[in-house]
PDB file of all heavy atoms in Angstrom:
ATOM      1  N   GLU A 626      27.677  39.764   2.262  1.00 93.00           N
ATOM      2  CA  GLU A 626      26.231  39.543   2.396  1.00 93.00           C
ATOM      3  C   GLU A 626      25.537  40.789   2.939  1.00 93.00           C
ATOM      4  O   GLU A 626      24.469  41.177   2.471  1.00 93.00           O
ATOM      5  CB  GLU A 626      25.953  38.333   3.279  1.00 93.00           C
ATOM      6  CG  GLU A 626      26.338  37.034   2.604  1.00 93.00           C
ATOM      7  CD  GLU A 626      26.253  35.837   3.525  1.00 93.00           C
ATOM      8  OE1 GLU A 626      26.701  35.951   4.696  1.00 93.00           O
ATOM      9  OE2 GLU A 626      25.736  34.806   3.074  1.00 93.00           O
ATOM     10  N   ALA A 627      26.150  41.433   3.921  1.00 94.00           N
ATOM     11  CA  ALA A 627      25.582  42.668   4.475  1.00 94.00           C
ATOM     12  C   ALA A 627      25.606  43.768   3.423  1.00 94.00           C
ATOM     13  O   ALA A 627      24.638  44.526   3.281  1.00 94.00           O
ATOM     14  CB  ALA A 627      26.348  43.088   5.718  1.00 94.00           C
ATOM     15  N   ALA A 629      25.460  43.450   0.139  1.00 93.00           N
ATOM     16  CA  ALA A 629      24.405  43.174  -0.846  1.00 93.00           C
ATOM     17  C   ALA A 629      23.032  43.540  -0.283  1.00 93.00           C
ATOM     18  O   ALA A 629      22.182  44.079  -0.995  1.00 93.00           O
ATOM     19  CB  ALA A 629      24.443  41.708  -1.260  1.00 93.00           C
ATOM     20  N   GLU A 632      22.767  47.384  -0.313  1.00 92.00           N
ATOM     21  CA  GLU A 632      22.621  47.877  -1.691  1.00 92.00           C
ATOM     22  C   GLU A 632      21.233  47.599  -2.239  1.00 92.00           C
ATOM     23  O   GLU A 632      20.680  48.402  -2.985  1.00 92.00           O
ATOM     24  CB  GLU A 632      23.696  47.271  -2.589  1.00 92.00           C
ATOM     25  CG  GLU A 632      25.065  47.860  -2.323  1.00 92.00           C
ATOM     26  CD  GLU A 632      26.182  47.182  -3.093  1.00 92.00           C
ATOM     27  OE1 GLU A 632      26.006  46.025  -3.550  1.00 92.00           O
ATOM     28  OE2 GLU A 632      27.255  47.803  -3.222  1.00 92.00           O
ATOM     29  N   ALA A 634      18.456  47.244  -0.331  1.00 90.00           N
ATOM     30  CA  ALA A 634      17.486  48.032   0.449  1.00 90.00           C
ATOM     31  C   ALA A 634      17.486  49.492   0.008  1.00 90.00           C
ATOM     32  O   ALA A 634      16.429  50.101  -0.132  1.00 90.00           O
ATOM     33  CB  ALA A 634      17.808  47.928   1.937  1.00 90.00           C
ATOM     34  N   LYS A 644      19.854  66.804  21.295  1.00 97.00           N
ATOM     35  CA  LYS A 644      20.551  67.469  22.396  1.00 97.00           C
ATOM     36  C   LYS A 644      20.112  66.944  23.761  1.00 97.00           C
ATOM     37  O   LYS A 644      20.914  66.816  24.679  1.00 97.00           O
ATOM     38  CB  LYS A 644      20.295  68.974  22.300  1.00 97.00           C
ATOM     39  CG  LYS A 644      21.231  69.829  23.076  1.00 97.00           C
ATOM     40  CD  LYS A 644      20.967  71.295  22.780  1.00 97.00           C
ATOM     41  CE  LYS A 644      22.118  72.143  23.260  1.00 97.00           C
ATOM     42  NZ  LYS A 644      21.929  73.547  22.893  1.00 97.00           N
ATOM     43  N   ASP A 645      18.813  66.582  23.889  1.00 97.00           N
ATOM     44  CA  ASP A 645      18.300  66.092  25.172  1.00 97.00           C
ATOM     45  C   ASP A 645      18.525  64.585  25.353  1.00 97.00           C
ATOM     46  O   ASP A 645      18.076  64.005  26.330  1.00 97.00           O
ATOM     47  CB  ASP A 645      16.819  66.431  25.324  1.00 97.00           C
ATOM     48  CG  ASP A 645      15.920  65.707  24.330  1.00 97.00           C
ATOM     49  OD1 ASP A 645      16.424  64.917  23.495  1.00 97.00           O
ATOM     50  OD2 ASP A 645      14.700  65.934  24.374  1.00 97.00           O
ATOM     51  N   THR A 651      15.235  59.416  10.778  1.00 95.00           N
ATOM     52  CA  THR A 651      14.893  59.917   9.452  1.00 95.00           C
ATOM     53  C   THR A 651      15.077  58.803   8.433  1.00 95.00           C
ATOM     54  O   THR A 651      16.076  58.077   8.477  1.00 95.00           O
ATOM     55  CB  THR A 651      15.814  61.086   9.051  1.00 95.00           C
ATOM     56  OG1 THR A 651      15.809  62.063  10.077  1.00 95.00           O
ATOM     57  CG2 THR A 651      15.368  61.719   7.752  1.00 95.00           C
ATOM     58  N   VAL A 667      25.194  59.506   2.998  1.00 96.00           N
ATOM     59  CA  VAL A 667      23.801  59.935   2.930  1.00 96.00           C
ATOM     60  C   VAL A 667      23.795  61.414   2.552  1.00 96.00           C
ATOM     61  O   VAL A 667      24.525  62.205   3.157  1.00 96.00           O
ATOM     62  CB  VAL A 667      23.094  59.744   4.291  1.00 96.00           C
ATOM     63  CG1 VAL A 667      21.677  60.283   4.251  1.00 96.00           C
ATOM     64  CG2 VAL A 667      23.105  58.283   4.713  1.00 96.00           C
ATOM     65  N   PRO A 683      28.649  62.400  17.126  1.00 98.00           N
ATOM     66  CA  PRO A 683      28.758  61.663  15.863  1.00 98.00           C
ATOM     67  C   PRO A 683      28.217  60.231  15.888  1.00 98.00           C
ATOM     68  O   PRO A 683      28.197  59.578  14.848  1.00 98.00           O
ATOM     69  CB  PRO A 683      30.262  61.659  15.593  1.00 98.00           C
ATOM     70  CG  PRO A 683      30.884  61.738  16.938  1.00 98.00           C
ATOM     71  CD  PRO A 683      29.951  62.607  17.758  1.00 98.00           C
ATOM     72  N   ARG A 684      27.755  59.738  17.032  1.00 98.00           N
ATOM     73  CA  ARG A 684      27.247  58.365  17.087  1.00 98.00           C
ATOM     74  C   ARG A 684      25.929  58.260  16.320  1.00 98.00           C
ATOM     75  O   ARG A 684      25.018  59.065  16.513  1.00 98.00           O
ATOM     76  CB  ARG A 684      27.034  57.926  18.534  1.00 98.00           C
ATOM     77  CG  ARG A 684      28.320  57.835  19.323  1.00 98.00           C
ATOM     78  CD  ARG A 684      28.053  57.520  20.762  1.00 98.00           C
ATOM     79  NE  ARG A 684      27.304  58.629  21.375  1.00 98.00           N
ATOM     80  CZ  ARG A 684      26.695  58.554  22.551  1.00 98.00           C
ATOM     81  NH1 ARG A 684      26.721  57.440  23.255  1.00 98.00           N
ATOM     82  NH2 ARG A 684      26.058  59.600  23.037  1.00 98.00           N
ATOM     83  N   SER A 688      19.420  51.500  10.146  1.00 96.00           N
ATOM     84  CA  SER A 688      18.745  50.197  10.109  1.00 96.00           C
ATOM     85  C   SER A 688      18.142  49.983   8.730  1.00 96.00           C
ATOM     86  O   SER A 688      17.723  50.922   8.060  1.00 96.00           O
ATOM     87  CB  SER A 688      17.666  50.102  11.192  1.00 96.00           C
ATOM     88  OG  SER A 688      16.555  50.909  10.860  1.00 96.00           O
ATOM     89  N   TYR A 698      16.897  41.741   9.081  1.00 92.00           N
ATOM     90  CA  TYR A 698      17.139  43.173   9.179  1.00 92.00           C
ATOM     91  C   TYR A 698      18.594  43.372   9.548  1.00 92.00           C
ATOM     92  O   TYR A 698      19.265  42.458  10.026  1.00 92.00           O
ATOM     93  CB  TYR A 698      16.199  43.847  10.182  1.00 92.00           C
ATOM     94  CG  TYR A 698      16.438  43.475  11.627  1.00 92.00           C
ATOM     95  CD1 TYR A 698      17.251  44.256  12.442  1.00 92.00           C
ATOM     96  CD2 TYR A 698      15.856  42.338  12.165  1.00 92.00           C
ATOM     97  CE1 TYR A 698      17.472  43.907  13.760  1.00 92.00           C
ATOM     98  CE2 TYR A 698      16.069  41.988  13.483  1.00 92.00           C
ATOM     99  CZ  TYR A 698      16.886  42.772  14.282  1.00 92.00           C
ATOM    100  OH  TYR A 698      17.104  42.428  15.585  1.00 92.00           O
ATOM    101  N   VAL A 701      23.560  49.023  11.326  1.00 97.00           N
ATOM    102  CA  VAL A 701      24.951  49.466  11.296  1.00 97.00           C
ATOM    103  C   VAL A 701      25.140  50.468  12.428  1.00 97.00           C
ATOM    104  O   VAL A 701      24.431  51.468  12.495  1.00 97.00           O
ATOM    105  CB  VAL A 701      25.309  50.126   9.944  1.00 97.00           C
ATOM    106  CG1 VAL A 701      26.718  50.703   9.982  1.00 97.00           C
ATOM    107  CG2 VAL A 701      25.153  49.143   8.794  1.00 97.00           C
ATOM    108  N   HIS A 702      26.075  50.181  13.327  1.00 97.00           N
ATOM    109  CA  HIS A 702      26.469  51.095  14.395  1.00 97.00           C
ATOM    110  C   HIS A 702      27.713  51.815  13.903  1.00 97.00           C
ATOM    111  O   HIS A 702      28.615  51.173  13.351  1.00 97.00           O
ATOM    112  CB  HIS A 702      26.811  50.326  15.669  1.00 97.00           C
ATOM    113  CG  HIS A 702      25.712  49.440  16.157  1.00 97.00           C
ATOM    114  ND1 HIS A 702      25.039  49.677  17.321  1.00 97.00           N
ATOM    115  CD2 HIS A 702      25.165  48.318  15.634  1.00 97.00           C
ATOM    116  CE1 HIS A 702      24.132  48.736  17.506  1.00 97.00           C
ATOM    117  NE2 HIS A 702      24.182  47.893  16.488  1.00 97.00           N
ATOM    118  N   VAL A 707      30.084  65.200   8.813  1.00 97.00           N
ATOM    119  CA  VAL A 707      29.331  65.905   7.772  1.00 97.00           C
ATOM    120  C   VAL A 707      30.264  66.791   6.965  1.00 97.00           C
ATOM    121  O   VAL A 707      31.108  67.488   7.528  1.00 97.00           O
ATOM    122  CB  VAL A 707      28.206  66.762   8.399  1.00 97.00           C
ATOM    123  CG1 VAL A 707      27.476  67.560   7.334  1.00 97.00           C
ATOM    124  CG2 VAL A 707      27.235  65.883   9.169  1.00 97.00           C
ATOM    125  N   GLY A 719      23.451  56.698  -9.835  1.00 67.00           N
ATOM    126  CA  GLY A 719      22.737  55.445 -10.011  1.00 67.00           C
ATOM    127  C   GLY A 719      21.265  55.590 -10.342  1.00 67.00           C
ATOM    128  O   GLY A 719      20.547  54.603 -10.409  1.00 67.00           O
ATOM    129  N   MET A 720      20.804  56.818 -10.556  1.00 63.00           N
ATOM    130  CA  MET A 720      19.397  57.017 -10.906  1.00 63.00           C
ATOM    131  C   MET A 720      19.273  57.223 -12.414  1.00 63.00           C
ATOM    132  O   MET A 720      20.193  57.729 -13.044  1.00 63.00           O
ATOM    133  CB  MET A 720      18.834  58.235 -10.169  1.00 63.00           C
ATOM    134  CG  MET A 720      18.775  58.027  -8.669  1.00 63.00           C
ATOM    135  SD  MET A 720      17.950  59.388  -7.849  1.00 63.00           S
ATOM    136  CE  MET A 720      16.262  59.049  -8.294  1.00 63.00           C
ATOM    137  N   PRO A 723      16.616  62.189 -15.753  1.00 57.00           N
ATOM    138  CA  PRO A 723      15.262  62.745 -15.653  1.00 57.00           C
ATOM    139  C   PRO A 723      14.665  62.998 -17.034  1.00 57.00           C
ATOM    140  O   PRO A 723      15.395  63.199 -18.003  1.00 57.00           O
ATOM    141  CB  PRO A 723      15.472  64.056 -14.905  1.00 57.00           C
ATOM    142  CG  PRO A 723      16.885  64.424 -15.185  1.00 57.00           C
ATOM    143  CD  PRO A 723      17.637  63.135 -15.342  1.00 57.00           C
ATOM    144  N   GLU A 727       9.688  70.032 -20.904  1.00 63.00           N
ATOM    145  CA  GLU A 727       8.508  70.108 -21.775  1.00 63.00           C
ATOM    146  C   GLU A 727       8.974  69.985 -23.209  1.00 63.00           C
ATOM    147  O   GLU A 727       9.790  70.769 -23.657  1.00 63.00           O
ATOM    148  CB  GLU A 727       7.791  71.442 -21.592  1.00 63.00           C
ATOM    149  CG  GLU A 727       7.162  71.623 -20.232  1.00 63.00           C
ATOM    150  CD  GLU A 727       6.484  72.989 -20.108  1.00 63.00           C
ATOM    151  OE1 GLU A 727       6.123  73.585 -21.136  1.00 63.00           O
ATOM    152  OE2 GLU A 727       6.336  73.440 -18.979  1.00 63.00           O
ATOM    153  N   PRO A 736      16.823  66.122 -11.258  1.00 55.00           N
ATOM    154  CA  PRO A 736      15.927  65.315 -10.444  1.00 55.00           C
ATOM    155  C   PRO A 736      15.680  65.918  -9.064  1.00 55.00           C
ATOM    156  O   PRO A 736      14.694  65.630  -8.426  1.00 55.00           O
ATOM    157  CB  PRO A 736      16.656  63.977 -10.333  1.00 55.00           C
ATOM    158  CG  PRO A 736      18.080  64.289 -10.609  1.00 55.00           C
ATOM    159  CD  PRO A 736      18.087  65.474 -11.524  1.00 55.00           C
ATOM    160  N   PHE A 737      16.603  66.788  -8.611  1.00 57.00           N
ATOM    161  CA  PHE A 737      16.475  67.422  -7.306  1.00 57.00           C
ATOM    162  C   PHE A 737      16.800  68.901  -7.456  1.00 57.00           C
ATOM    163  O   PHE A 737      17.702  69.253  -8.202  1.00 57.00           O
ATOM    164  CB  PHE A 737      17.449  66.795  -6.301  1.00 57.00           C
ATOM    165  CG  PHE A 737      17.331  65.307  -6.221  1.00 57.00           C
ATOM    166  CD1 PHE A 737      18.198  64.480  -6.900  1.00 57.00           C
ATOM    167  CD2 PHE A 737      16.319  64.724  -5.469  1.00 57.00           C
ATOM    168  CE1 PHE A 737      18.077  63.103  -6.834  1.00 57.00           C
ATOM    169  CE2 PHE A 737      16.189  63.354  -5.400  1.00 57.00           C
ATOM    170  CZ  PHE A 737      17.060  62.545  -6.079  1.00 57.00           C
ATOM    171  N   TYR A 745      24.552  68.770   1.926  1.00 94.00           N
ATOM    172  CA  TYR A 745      25.486  68.162   2.877  1.00 94.00           C
ATOM    173  C   TYR A 745      25.539  66.657   2.646  1.00 94.00           C
ATOM    174  O   TYR A 745      24.589  66.069   2.149  1.00 94.00           O
ATOM    175  CB  TYR A 745      25.026  68.420   4.322  1.00 94.00           C
ATOM    176  CG  TYR A 745      24.894  69.887   4.633  1.00 94.00           C
ATOM    177  CD1 TYR A 745      23.704  70.566   4.360  1.00 94.00           C
ATOM    178  CD2 TYR A 745      25.957  70.600   5.162  1.00 94.00           C
ATOM    179  CE1 TYR A 745      23.583  71.913   4.618  1.00 94.00           C
ATOM    180  CE2 TYR A 745      25.840  71.957   5.426  1.00 94.00           C
ATOM    181  CZ  TYR A 745      24.654  72.605   5.146  1.00 94.00           C
ATOM    182  OH  TYR A 745      24.537  73.950   5.399  1.00 94.00           O
ATOM    183  N   SER A 752      31.206  50.667  12.866  1.00 96.00           N
ATOM    184  CA  SER A 752      32.045  50.023  13.877  1.00 96.00           C
ATOM    185  C   SER A 752      31.609  48.576  14.110  1.00 96.00           C
ATOM    186  O   SER A 752      32.417  47.733  14.477  1.00 96.00           O
ATOM    187  CB  SER A 752      32.011  50.800  15.191  1.00 96.00           C
ATOM    188  OG  SER A 752      30.684  50.942  15.647  1.00 96.00           O
ATOM    189  N   ARG A 753      30.329  48.303  13.872  1.00 94.00           N
ATOM    190  CA  ARG A 753      29.841  46.921  13.964  1.00 94.00           C
ATOM    191  C   ARG A 753      28.493  46.815  13.268  1.00 94.00           C
ATOM    192  O   ARG A 753      27.812  47.806  13.028  1.00 94.00           O
ATOM    193  CB  ARG A 753      29.753  46.431  15.397  1.00 94.00           C
ATOM    194  CG  ARG A 753      28.718  47.113  16.247  1.00 94.00           C
ATOM    195  CD  ARG A 753      28.828  46.656  17.707  1.00 94.00           C
ATOM    196  NE  ARG A 753      27.980  47.456  18.542  1.00 94.00           N
ATOM    197  CZ  ARG A 753      26.912  47.007  19.175  1.00 94.00           C
ATOM    198  NH1 ARG A 753      26.555  45.741  19.068  1.00 94.00           N
ATOM    199  NH2 ARG A 753      26.180  47.806  19.919  1.00 94.00           N
ATOM    200  N   VAL A 761      25.247  38.182  10.842  1.00 84.00           N
ATOM    201  CA  VAL A 761      25.395  38.107  12.295  1.00 84.00           C
ATOM    202  C   VAL A 761      25.783  36.675  12.665  1.00 84.00           C
ATOM    203  O   VAL A 761      25.087  35.735  12.300  1.00 84.00           O
ATOM    204  CB  VAL A 761      24.076  38.501  13.005  1.00 84.00           C
ATOM    205  CG1 VAL A 761      24.228  38.379  14.510  1.00 84.00           C
ATOM    206  CG2 VAL A 761      23.668  39.912  12.619  1.00 84.00           C
ATOM    207  N   HIS A 767      26.515  27.072  24.925  1.00 70.00           N
ATOM    208  CA  HIS A 767      26.904  27.103  26.350  1.00 70.00           C
ATOM    209  C   HIS A 767      27.699  25.893  26.698  1.00 70.00           C
ATOM    210  O   HIS A 767      27.573  24.834  26.408  1.00 70.00           O
ATOM    211  CB  HIS A 767      25.682  27.184  27.261  1.00 70.00           C
ATOM    212  CG  HIS A 767      24.942  28.479  27.088  1.00 70.00           C
ATOM    213  ND1 HIS A 767      25.544  29.695  27.119  1.00 70.00           N
ATOM    214  CD2 HIS A 767      23.622  28.741  26.883  1.00 70.00           C
ATOM    215  CE1 HIS A 767      24.651  30.655  26.950  1.00 70.00           C
ATOM    216  NE2 HIS A 767      23.468  30.081  26.799  1.00 70.00           N
TER     217      HIS A 767
END
Side-chain angles (χ1 to χ4, degrees):
E626 290 172 317
E632 287 174 340
K644 197 174 195 176
D645 66 0
T651 308
V667 176
R684 295 175 296 167
S688 72
Y698 68 94
V701 174
H702 304 247
V707 177
M720 294 186 74
E727 293 179 23
F737 307 99
Y745 302 87
S752 56
R753 67 187 171 113
V761 178
H767 295 310

